[in-house]
Structures are given as C-alpha cells and as structure tokens.
Amino acid sequence: MFENQSMTKYPTHTLGLANSEDIKYEIKKYLDNKTHSSAYIKVCSMELKRLGYMELSMALEKIAESKMHFEAVLMEAFGIKDDIRLNLNNVLIRAEEDVVFARKIELLAKDHNEHEVYTLMHELAKTEAENLAALMGITSQIMEDRL
C-alpha cells in the first residue's frame, strides 16, 4: 500500500519558497517580531539551571532549539539564497563584525571598571574569533571543493 502512494501530496521544503511580496513582507515582519525570542528562552533556561531546576532548564532548551530551527526555516522561505558560498560569505562578514563589536564592548567595560561585563565580553570576543576562524576554514574547504 505505501509504495503505491505518491509522496507529492506532502509539501517539500525549498529555498525561496515564498514568491508573493505580501507573504514575504509578512514573514519578514514575523521574523522581526521574533528577534531574540529563542535567546530570551535560553536566558530563562540558564537561570533555571543555576537555580537547580535541571528538567525545566532542559525543557526550555528544547523549546529554544525548536524556535531557532523554525526561524531558520522561515528565513529560507523568505528567500535566503541557496548558494552556500554566498551565505557563508555573508556569515563571515557578520562574524568579523561580531568580533570587532564584542571587543569594543569589552574595552568599554574595562574603561568603566565593569569587571563582570568585561570578563563576559572578553570570553564572547574570544569565542567569536574562534568561530570566525572555524567558519573561514569551512568556507575555504567549500571553495576548494566547488560546492
């Protein structure tokens, strides 16, 4: 029975799914409203973890991951390009900006003697720089393989 049924009745997820400018506008508006919602959930998860509520923390972690997944799916539907090299190049540009911005906040916190913020931003800047190096390596490999 199963092998005779066509799978075409199920929608396939594709890049740039939305063609209508009205739909793209609404998706963009929706994404703008969702900005950082998964990050707020993650903050709550981290606090619950510090307070010892591990199961609740893990539940919120799963919700945050689910929200991030669907935000990415909506970005694809909105029309993020299917060119891996172009997307990674855009990510590299933003990743470089993230390193510079994190470093700027780090130094500002140091100037204002806000040691906890300084330490946090120092770690963030270091992690962002490590992520940038990894992204550059991945991008280099993709360019060599001509994906």
Side-chain angles (χ1 to χ4, degrees), residues 41-73:
I41 293 170
K42 176 73 174 169
V43 167
C44 295
S45 170
M46 291 169 19
E47 182 61 21
L48 285 170
K49 188 175 188 177
R50 281 190 284 275
L51 294 171
Y53 296 98
M54 302 309 268
E55 288 181 25
L56 295 175
S57 173
M58 288 172 44
L60 284 180
E61 186 82 24
K62 286 182 181 180
I63 292 169
E65 287 176 20
S66 174
K67 290 179 82 53
M68 283 188 285
H69 168 76
F70 280 104
E71 288 166 9
V73 168

Side-chain angles (χ1 to χ4, degrees), residues 101-102 105-106 116-126:
F101 198 58
I105 297 170
E106 172 191 356
E116 289 180 24
V117 175
Y118 168 80
T119 301
L120 172 67
M121 295 311 297
H122 176 76
E123 289 301 314
L124 177 63
K126 186 171 93 174

Side-chain angles (χ1 to χ4, degrees), residues 14-81:
T14 57
L15 291 164
L17 181 64
N19 293 315
S20 161
E21 290 304 315
D22 291 340
I23 291 173
K24 286 182 179 182
Y25 173 78
E26 292 302 324
I27 290 173
K28 174 89 170 85
K29 200 163 77 172
Y30 180 77
L31 285 170
D32 289 346
N33 286 338
K34 291 180 68 55
T35 302
H36 300 104
S37 65
S38 53
Y40 282 111
I41 293 170
K42 176 73 174 169
V43 167
C44 295
S45 170
M46 291 169 19
E47 182 61 21
L48 285 170
K49 188 175 188 177
R50 281 190 284 275
L51 294 171
Y53 296 98
M54 302 309 268
E55 288 181 25
L56 295 175
S57 173
M58 288 172 44
L60 284 180
E61 186 82 24
K62 286 182 181 180
I63 292 169
E65 287 176 20
S66 174
K67 290 179 82 53
M68 283 188 285
H69 168 76
F70 280 104
E71 288 166 9
V73 168
L74 280 173
M75 288 176 70
E76 286 183 324
F78 180 69
I80 298 300
K81 304 293 182 217

